[in-house]
Amino acid sequence: MNFLSPLIATAGRIRGWLEIAASLLDVAVRLHVANVFFKSGLTKIEDWDKTLFLFEEHYRVPLLSPELAAALGTFGELVFPPLLALGLAARFSAASLFIINITAVVAYWHVIGDNPAALMSHVFWGTLLLVTLLHGPGKLAVDHWIWRRLERSVAAN
């Protein structure tokens, strides 16, 4: 058993460093995706007439009027990225942005379908959003701290 003790201690230290790295990666993923979507939302409110024109003439959002699609898309791109960046309601925000991302691909498929780089960008963002949705926002997130506090509160009662 004496032989295994240093190996177990070393493995424990490596595991600790990997957990720190994982927490930092979770933050990096959230910040990257939040940045992409938030900048898109800012572009939309910069010139609302142009945004409406694009939704009326170029984007083909199914089931929604161009005005409603523009308003909902812009709202989602401005509200959910800050929440995702903070890790507050992170899974809900990731799911919402995932839906916006899929809707963008469907609505602009006539252009994105012929542009592998643009399509791969959406696949990449969607994959990163799925990581947060399925794995959670990580330890460096407001959600993590809220859940820890709630669990302690329940355990104390």
Side-chain angles (χ1 to χ4, degrees):
M1 197 64 154
N2 209 0
F3 164 74
L4 290 177
S5 294
L7 290 175
I8 292 171
T10 301
R13 283 192 297 279
I14 291 171
R15 182 175 178 213
W17 284 106
L18 290 174
E19 287 180 8
I20 291 169
S23 294
L24 295 174
L25 181 61
D26 290 332
V27 172
V29 165
R30 293 193 333 260
L31 291 176
H32 174 72
V33 177
N35 182 52
V36 168
F37 281 88
F38 192 71
K39 283 182 178 176
S40 178
L42 290 177
T43 301
K44 287 178 177 65
I45 62 169
E46 206 171 81
D47 186 346
W48 189 247
D49 290 334
K50 181 179 176 182
T51 297
L52 287 176
F53 173 79
L54 288 171
F55 274 85
E56 289 167 355
E57 300 298 325
H58 295 286
Y59 303 151
R60 300 173 183 162
V61 179
L63 307 174
L64 300 176
S65 70
E67 296 81 11
L68 182 58
L72 289 174
T74 303
F75 172 84
E77 289 180 338
L78 292 174
V79 171
F80 297 121
L83 294 174
L84 183 66
L86 291 170
L88 179 60
R91 283 186 156 139
F92 178 76
S93 297
S96 300
L97 290 171
F98 187 81
I99 292 167
I100 291 170
N101 188 48
I102 288 176
T103 303
V105 170
V106 169
Y108 211 47
W109 181 255
H110 58 285
V111 173
I112 291 176
D114 294 330
N115 186 338
L119 182 58
M120 287 314 299
S121 290
H122 285 275
V123 169
F124 179 65
W125 301 327
T127 302
L128 293 179
L129 288 165
L130 281 175
V131 168
T132 300
L133 177 62
L134 299 176
H135 166 72
K139 292 181 179 179
L140 299 175
V142 175
D143 286 349
H144 177 74
W145 297 323
I146 290 171
W147 278 107
R148 279 183 48 192
R149 190 172 182 102
L150 288 172
E151 287 170 348
R152 281 190 209 140
S153 174
V154 169
N157 292 330

